[in-house]
Amino acid sequence: MIEKIKNGKETILNIQGMTCASCVQTVEKALNKAEGIIEANVNLTTEKAHLTYDPEKIKKKEILDVVANTGYGATMETSKIMIKIGGMTCASCVQTVEKALNKAEGIKNATVNLTTEKAVVDYDADELDYDDIAKIINNTGYSALGKEEIESITSKYDQEIENEERKFKTAKKRMLVSWLFVVPITIWMLVEMIGGIMWPNAFIYNLGMIILALPPLFWAGYSTYFTAFKAVRHGSANMDVLIALGTLSAFITGPLYFFLPVLNYAGVGAMIMAFHLTGRYIETKAKGRASQAIRKLLELGAKSARIIVDGEEKEIPIEELKENDLMLVKPGEKIPTDGLIIEGQSAIDESMATGESMPVKKKVGDEVIGATINQRGLLKVKATKVGKDTFLSQVVKMVEECQGTKVPIQKFADRIVSYFVPAVLVLATMAFILWMFLPSLMNLPWVDPSLSGVTLALLAFIATLIIACPCALGLATPTALMVGSGMGAENGVLIRHGEAIQTLKNIETVVFDKTGTITKGAPEVTDIHVAEGFTTEEVLRFAASIEAGSEHPLADAIIKKSKEEDIELYELFEFESITGKGVKAKVKASPEKLILVGSRKLMKENGIGYNDDLEADIVSLEEEAKTVII
């Protein structure tokens, strides 16, 4: 069930139709005013509303109605589940179960299939979980026998990216169409501006401007006018209202040119719309990074799982993995999901989850994290968490919540925007009135006195509307927050709350964990110091030959160094690993010698000493935070 905080529940709405910070303010204000809603934060970049509400005072449907009354669309985030049903024998049984499910609050749609004896349920995960749905089925006289998640968290973000790609293509198409007509308009206008001639004559020039302006304004710019109309109808004003008023005012001067002493600015209206649609295209591209950042995080997970069924191995997509499935994980493979080791032991690279670069030893009974890498041994792991319950899914949820929060500076910007648009409308109207009825007060040196009063008034009105659009003011902060948290997650830095990003500006000192954070995260040989009578190559060959029998990460580093130097290793025998100290063995090239590779403690226990020069080297290296192997 949904997590409770304070006196309410949390939920997320998908909001459709928002284009600017004013839209956000309209929706957010309406939600926060509604009785039963404790707190609402609307994010323009992710197009989501994060709510805390009291379910005893307001229902989900009522919340959706609140948003609908502002002129925007809203849908709840839903999940899909497939449930095995026992006891059905005919079409009447199917109808009974299906009807009961579809009547239940929180279930959007349910379809029951007699042949497969399964029900596919699209439900609100904030209201219900599997146990609730199973109880509904059991109350009809039939049995819910188990569940399968259909829609994984990965497929959810795949769908979001697909939707964003579609929006991006639409925005790009509208932008290109607008410029296809605006470029000829611009060239034609330049001829008139530079040469002072309306080519080929005034009638064709002005009619041509009107005709060329029609597609950019009323096809490419249709969505802008539609959104503006909806906003005005619901008693609010947003950025689209400013653009619509400005461009339509400019376009109307085209037909008016033939009847009144005004200049034709229809072409200018088309230009304004083209620039506006270009900005909208850039916004859509920036907003599209939200799901992609999270999608990249999800790519850390395994795509498939190898499970054991009736003693046989079977490879399945990760979406089909269920709790208590027995997984087989081979060396070098990612662990498909969170689980418990039933058989085997290994070293697990958990750097993805913990930041610790050194592999962690795991044995029977230890828990493992999905998406971490099994480095050495063969493991049999029982799946304990799948889908939305896994560690990786919780990380994704944390990043998503961070992207949905509002930092203090954004709240301040949103407050300004709520007054900004009405103020601009008032100023534009005042500018029109002053230029129209008191032109003598507006006698400025850069004004062309040959233009009529109506033309000058319209120019002032249009310029005030267009230049004051608050696009960047509302979009800059949420975009920075979204990109920052997404890039942080990709690089292993998880930001739990958006406010932390703003607080970063006050930080003067940063304390890092060295290993794997400011270092490479994998051990490597940096120095080789040899005692008198030995060569570097000889020491490296003996050390790598003995370490070839070890599974320790430091052993891997020594062997890697020998390969880089093209050193051929000796064949070893009588190998013994001494936990926490090192290894010892003999090589067939010198069978009479017992070779020890390890710590000071190992050397001391075996009565092996070394001179003061070598001791000085060891101390010097240790002071540099390097691990010394003797």
Side-chain angles (χ1 to χ4, degrees):
M1 296 295 285
I2 191 68
E3 177 191 358
K4 292 193 175 184
I5 66 164
K6 295 180 183 176
N7 302 322
K9 287 184 177 180
E10 284 186 317
T11 191
I12 299 173
L13 301 183
N14 295 310
I15 311 291
Q16 294 91 38
M18 296 192 302
T19 57
C20 67
S22 295
C23 306
V24 170
Q25 278 296 297
T26 301
V27 177
E28 195 168 271
K29 196 176 285 183
L31 286 169
N32 280 314
K33 277 184 179 178
E35 188 180 356
I37 292 180
I38 299 165
E39 184 182 17
N41 283 311
V42 181
N43 190 295
L44 175 62
T45 314
T46 58
E47 296 182 323
K48 294 180 189 292
H50 293 254
L51 303 174
T52 306
Y53 71 102
D54 184 347
E56 293 179 5
K57 292 183 179 179
I58 190 167
K59 302 297 181 188
K60 287 284 187 73
K61 189 178 182 306
E62 293 170 331
I63 296 173
L64 296 177
D65 290 341
V66 169
V67 178
N69 289 337
T70 64
Y72 301 93
T75 56
M76 294 289 178
E77 291 201 333
T78 59
S79 299
K80 275 188 180 178
I81 195 171
M82 186 181 285
I83 300 176
K84 182 78 174 171
I85 300 174
M88 295 192 302
T89 57
C90 63
S92 178
C93 305
V94 169
Q95 283 295 306
T96 303
V97 177
E98 204 169 83
K99 194 178 288 185
L101 287 169
N102 282 313
K103 274 185 178 179
E105 190 174 340
I107 292 179
K108 187 178 178 183
N109 183 55
T111 308
V112 182
N113 188 299
L114 178 61
T115 311
T116 59
E117 295 184 315
K118 288 180 180 178
V120 176
V121 184
D122 192 3
Y123 68 102
D124 182 355
D126 290 346
E127 291 288 334
L128 304 169
D129 59 13
Y130 167 72
D131 292 334
D132 297 319
I133 299 169
K135 189 175 180 181
I136 295 165
I137 295 169
N138 293 335
N139 287 341
T140 63
Y142 303 94
S143 304
L145 303 176
K147 64 173 179 175
E148 295 175 26
E149 292 282 350
I150 295 176
E151 188 180 51
S152 67
I153 192 166
T154 305
S155 64
K156 171 191 166 185
Y157 283 100
D158 283 340
Q159 184 63 46
E160 285 201 12
I161 288 169
E162 193 178 309
N163 292 339
E164 284 160 2
E165 188 66 29
R166 188 165 57 249
K167 287 180 188 175
F168 174 73
K169 285 178 179 176
T170 302
K172 186 177 182 181
K173 185 179 179 181
R174 291 183 183 279
M175 177 191 71
L176 292 175
V177 168
S178 65
W179 282 108
L180 185 67
F181 290 91
V182 165
V183 169
I185 287 173
T186 307
I187 295 169
W188 208 355
M189 287 176 71
L190 282 171
V191 173
E192 189 270 335
M193 290 169 68
I194 296 169
I197 301 169
M198 291 186 184
W199 183 86
N201 58 59
F203 179 80
I204 292 174
Y205 172 83
N206 285 288
L207 184 62
M209 285 293 162
I210 295 168
I211 293 168
L212 285 173
L214 287 171
L217 289 171
F218 300 106
W219 185 85
Y222 167 78
S223 61
T224 301
Y225 294 131
F226 181 71
T227 307
F229 171 73
K230 280 203 305 180
V232 172
R233 193 180 67 179
H234 288 88
S236 64
N238 59 16
M239 182 190 74
D240 288 328
V241 172
L242 300 181
I243 293 291
L245 281 172
T247 53
L248 286 174
S249 300
F251 178 77
I252 288 168
T253 61
L256 288 178
Y257 169 83
F258 295 101
F259 307 102
L260 295 172
V262 294
L263 291 180
N264 180 355
Y265 288 107
V268 173
M271 284 183 188
I272 292 165
M273 184 59 76
F275 279 109
H276 169 66
L277 293 173
T278 303
R280 186 62 52 80
Y281 163 74
I282 294 166
E283 284 176 20
T284 306
K285 191 174 182 180
K287 281 155 64 173
R289 294 177 190 165
S291 293
Q292 288 178 7
I294 293 178
R295 187 67 185 82
K296 285 179 182 177
L297 191 60
L298 287 167
E299 284 172 2
L300 294 170
K303 304 295 182 290
S304 62
R306 190 180 290 104
I307 61 172
I308 300 172
V309 182
D310 298 328
E312 292 185 5
E313 288 183 28
K314 180 183 176 184
E315 192 162 332
I316 60 170
I318 196 70
E319 291 81 7
E320 295 178 16
L321 191 64
K322 298 189 287 292
E323 280 184 36
N324 298 318
D325 277 349
L326 186 60
M327 303 179 291
L328 186 69
V329 188
K330 295 181 179 180
E333 291 182 345
K334 285 183 179 179
I335 296 171
T337 192
D338 299 3
L340 194 71
I341 296 176
I342 302 300
E343 186 180 312
Q345 58 180 15
S346 181
I348 308 291
D349 177 2
E350 294 187 339
S351 56
M352 180 280 295
T354 64
E356 176 53 60
S357 61
M358 300 297 282
V360 180
K361 288 185 178 180
K362 298 283 184 176
K363 60 184 185 302
V364 174
D366 288 342
E367 292 183 347
V368 291
I369 301 169
T372 56
I373 299 169
N374 175 27
Q375 288 203 329
R376 299 190 179 280
L378 184 71
L379 295 175
K380 287 184 181 178
V381 180
K382 184 176 79 171
T384 55
K385 293 177 183 176
V386 295
K388 296 176 182 176
D389 298 325
T390 64
F391 171 83
L392 187 60
S393 296
Q394 293 304 309
V395 169
V396 168
K397 185 182 177 186
M398 188 194 299
V399 174
E400 194 176 41
E401 286 174 353
C402 174
Q403 290 181 344
T405 57
K406 283 197 175 184
V407 297
I409 192 68
Q410 186 182 342
K411 290 177 181 176
F412 175 68
D414 286 350
R415 277 201 304 274
I416 293 173
V417 167
S418 65
Y419 300 106
F420 193 86
V421 175
V424 169
L425 288 170
V426 170
L427 287 171
T429 305
M430 286 173 61
F432 179 85
I433 292 168
L434 285 170
W435 280 99
M436 189 73 186
F437 300 108
L438 298 168
S440 58
L441 293 177
M442 312 302 289
N443 188 18
L444 301 171
W446 57 84
V447 176
D448 186 352
S450 64
L451 297 176
S452 68
V454 176
T455 300
L456 289 170
L458 279 170
L459 273 175
F461 179 72
I462 293 165
T464 307
L465 287 174
I466 301 307
I467 206 166
C469 284
C471 313
L473 189 64
L475 193 67
T477 305
T479 302
L481 181 67
M482 175 207 70
V483 175
S485 58
M487 288 186 70
E490 285 176 42
N491 291 281
V493 180
L494 298 180
I495 300 164
R496 299 183 67 177
H497 200 277
E499 196 170 338
I501 295 178
Q502 184 175 332
T503 308
L504 279 172
K505 68 182 176 64
N506 301 321
I507 289 176
E508 295 178 355
T509 306
V510 179
V511 180
F512 284 106
D513 163 49
K514 180 181 73 70
T515 307
T517 304
I518 55 177
T519 61
K520 292 180 180 178
E524 63 177 34
V525 176
T526 58
D527 306 87
I528 300 175
H529 293 252
V530 297
E532 193 175 339
F534 293 92
T535 65
T536 300
E537 185 179 330
E538 188 179 6
V539 169
L540 184 56
R541 178 178 280 116
F542 276 119
S545 298
I546 304 304
E547 292 285 18
S550 173
E551 294 184 349
H552 198 280
L554 296 179
D556 290 340
I558 295 170
I559 294 164
K560 183 182 176 183
K561 181 68 174 178
S562 69
K563 287 178 180 177
E564 289 172 359
E565 301 292 332
D566 290 325
I567 294 173
E568 190 177 340
L569 303 186
Y570 296 127
E571 189 177 341
L572 80 161
F573 65 100
E574 293 184 17
F575 175 84
E576 184 184 347
S577 175
I578 304 144
T579 305
K581 297 174 185 176
V583 292
K584 59 183 179 180
K586 294 181 179 180
V587 294
K588 290 192 175 178
S590 303
E592 73 285 354
K593 292 179 181 176
L594 177 65
I595 302 165
L596 286 80
V597 180
S599 63
R600 290 169 180 255
K601 197 171 183 180
L602 179 66
M603 301 304 150
K604 188 176 180 181
E605 286 178 359
N606 286 271
I608 298 171
Y610 35 84
N611 60 36
D612 292 340
D613 291 340
L614 207 55
E615 175 64 24
D617 288 341
I618 292 169
V619 171
S620 175
L621 290 167
E622 286 177 341
E623 286 175 351
E624 293 175 23
K626 294 178 180 179
T627 302
V628 179
I629 297 174
I630 303 168

